[in-house]
Amino acid sequence: MNIVIVCDILGKKNNGTSIASYNLINYLKSKGHSVKVVCCDLDENENADEFIVLNKLNLGPLNKIVERNGVSLPLSDKKVITNAIKGCDIVHVMLPFPLGITACHMAKKLGKPVTAGFHCQAELISSHLGLMNVDAVNTHIYKRFYSFLYQYCDAIHYPTQFICDVFENIVGKTNHYIISNGVNKYMVPKSCLKPESIKNKFIILTTGRLCKEKSHITLFKAIALSKHNGDIQLIVAGQGPLKKRLEKFADENIINKPIIKYFSRQEMVDLVNYADLYVHPAKAELEGIACLEALVCGLVPVVSDSNKSATKDFAISDKNIFICDDEKDLANKIDYWFEHPKEKEFFSSKYIEFGEKFNQDECMQKMEQMFLDVLNKRIK
């Protein structure tokens, strides 16, 4: 197949959508498909010859907001987009943003089939307006997603049943494929020693962009309330606009200064294998690949029960879930796992089994089959 993948957001592998995009791109190339990628920025480790890089979109005063979130947005150049897709078999759009929307409509004019991934929750937009919990606003955003992009697609890829249900309850049934973004095969359980400086600490890992919807502050407050505050070392794998605010709270309330930084992929493999507990406090989460990466390595998670988060489905007992935004309940769960190491070891093996169904190669095979299904229907 000759496939064009359209990415409004790509750049560095510092967010779930970018990682999902690169995984799909690299898998399809490994299977011998011809892949072109239309974007405005890419990771320095990628082969630039395979990417069509557009100029960045100037949003004026909004540029700072975009930059704080570590991404770039492209200018939708119709001539470049048309040249990219006119010889392809199928176009796959990653996000319902201007570049993807434009590419979809150009593809339709050229008679090309279009598929699209569902990688953006409405809450990721409404949170920037301080309206994340206003259902009417989120419903309006989803309806715009549908009217601008998804109604024109031959098939839609939903990473979870959760987000499929949310969207279809608003816009009606779609031709959908529910396929996890999957966990890369290099994320495996292994023996790994803690760094010397923190070898005697109970290490809690959390990941994700430092923004409101990820609710890191709930975890910080829970550690401050924990009976074992002085024994805990928090590691936050992520960057974002709330870093200074979190550091200020930690300076005043947490005994051991949290480690907040970006970790390479190999460093993350080691980290999830020497950490003692993974906490995912996000209020809004479409899938939660970082959480999946942790649990497939046997790191026991505690996740928020938010009705706007898919990760609550990763809880296999009531000790693996806490009441959203309730730092006291989370502190109790942290203390429980601190005080029950044998039970944590048992649940570690359970989570390794649980994670087997998220093998990334198998997930990407399903994505490949989605493209083939759409093309076969066109031929018939």
Side-chain angles (χ1 to χ4, degrees):
M1 289 182 286
N2 292 317
I3 305 167
V4 172
I5 298 179
V6 183
C7 304
D8 279 80
I9 294 174
L10 193 62
K12 293 182 179 180
K13 302 179 182 75
N14 62 1
N15 64 83
T17 302
S18 293
I19 292 169
S21 300
Y22 284 118
N23 288 340
L24 178 60
I25 292 162
N26 292 328
Y27 175 83
L28 291 171
K29 289 192 299 184
S30 75
K31 293 300 179 181
H33 301 294
S34 174
V35 181
K36 288 182 182 178
V37 183
V38 183
C39 61
C40 78
D41 196 9
L42 66 149
D43 192 278
E44 61 269 18
N45 296 317
E46 295 295 319
N47 181 358
D49 294 339
E50 298 163 346
F51 295 79
I52 298 168
V53 182
L54 300 171
N55 292 326
K56 294 182 180 180
L57 180 65
N58 186 351
L59 296 171
L62 298 179
N63 284 337
K64 290 185 178 180
I65 296 176
V66 175
E67 290 169 3
R68 279 204 307 269
N69 286 285
V71 298
S72 300
L73 294 175
L75 184 67
S76 299
D77 186 321
K78 291 184 178 181
K79 183 177 179 180
V80 173
I81 294 169
T82 300
N83 287 335
I85 65 180
K86 63 183 180 183
C88 76
D89 296 314
I90 190 168
V91 174
H92 182 67
V93 175
M94 292 298 295
L95 287 165
F97 293 172
L99 176 60
I101 293 166
T102 301
C104 173
H105 291 290
M106 301 304 294
K108 287 298 178 180
K109 286 182 179 180
L110 294 169
K112 306 292 183 182
V114 177
T115 59
F118 207 101
H119 298 283
C120 182
Q121 277 180 279
E123 287 81 1
L124 301 185
I125 296 172
S126 60
S127 66
H128 289 292
L129 307 173
L131 300 171
M132 184 173 69
N133 295 317
V134 181
D135 290 340
V137 172
N138 294 321
T139 296
H140 177 78
I141 292 170
Y142 281 130
K143 286 181 177 179
R144 296 290 75 76
F145 284 176
Y146 183 76
S147 64
F148 291 152
L149 174 65
Y150 293 111
Q151 67 168 318
Y152 303 105
C153 295
D154 295 88
I156 301 173
H157 161 226
Y158 299 99
T160 57
Q161 183 69 55
F162 161 79
I163 197 61
C164 177
D165 292 343
V166 168
F167 192 57
E168 290 191 342
N169 284 340
I170 294 170
V171 305
K173 291 294 182 183
T174 61
N175 181 30
H176 67 249
Y177 289 72
I178 298 169
I179 307 168
S180 170
N181 287 312
V183 176
N184 198 290
K185 58 188 175 184
Y186 59 67
M187 298 298 297
V188 293
K190 66 175 185 176
S191 177
C192 193
L193 295 176
K194 295 179 181 180
E196 187 67 22
S197 61
I198 54 175
K199 68 178 183 179
N200 296 320
K201 300 300 181 185
F202 184 84
I203 297 174
I204 295 178
L205 171 64
T206 191
T207 57
R209 194 161 47 89
L210 306 179
C211 56
K212 287 186 291 185
E213 65 268 19
K214 299 301 182 183
S215 199
H216 290 93
I217 190 62
T218 301
L219 173 56
F220 278 59
K221 289 178 179 178
I223 292 173
L225 291 173
S226 170
K227 292 184 290 184
H228 306 286
N229 187 338
D231 297 307
I232 293 171
Q233 175 61 62
L234 174 62
I235 298 180
V236 183
Q239 299 171 318
L242 296 184
K243 182 179 180 181
K244 289 184 179 179
R245 188 181 304 176
L246 292 169
E247 288 177 332
K248 184 176 186 300
F249 178 89
D251 288 343
E252 297 170 355
N253 298 279
I254 295 178
I255 295 172
N256 299 306
K257 183 177 181 179
I259 298 169
I260 306 175
K261 57 176 283 190
Y262 169 80
F263 291 86
S264 69
R265 302 305 291 167
Q266 185 52 54
E267 287 174 326
M268 284 302 300
V269 176
D270 293 340
L271 182 48
V272 298
N273 278 288
Y274 67 68
D276 296 291
L277 192 69
Y278 180 89
V279 176
H280 200 81
K283 289 185 281 190
E285 193 70 76
L286 194 145
E287 182 171 26
I289 287 298
C291 183
L292 281 175
E293 289 179 338
L295 64 85
V296 300
C297 292
L299 182 57
V300 173
V302 178
V303 301
S304 163
D305 73 350
S306 171
N307 62 4
K308 298 180 184 296
S309 174
T311 53
K312 62 181 178 295
D313 295 331
F314 301 157
I316 60 177
S317 83
D318 60 359
K319 297 296 190 298
N320 298 113
I321 199 163
F322 74 96
I323 300 168
C324 181
D325 274 344
D326 188 330
E327 59 268 22
K328 291 181 181 179
D329 189 43
L330 178 54
N332 289 336
K333 298 296 166 60
I334 289 171
D335 289 343
Y336 181 86
W337 290 114
F338 183 96
E339 295 162 5
H340 294 81
K342 290 293 185 182
E343 187 174 354
K344 187 162 69 68
E345 186 178 337
F346 171 77
F347 271 81
S348 175
S349 62
K350 287 290 185 183
Y351 268 106
I352 291 173
E353 294 175 15
F354 178 86
E356 290 176 357
K357 60 186 174 183
F358 298 101
N359 177 281
Q360 192 174 90
D361 282 350
E362 293 180 10
C363 295
M364 292 302 99
Q365 286 173 16
K366 293 176 183 177
M367 290 294 295
E368 182 183 28
Q369 188 59 52
M370 179 183 75
F371 298 142
L372 290 170
D373 287 349
V374 169
L375 287 174
N376 290 336
K377 286 178 183 177
R378 281 294 187 101
I379 292 171
K380 291 177 182 179

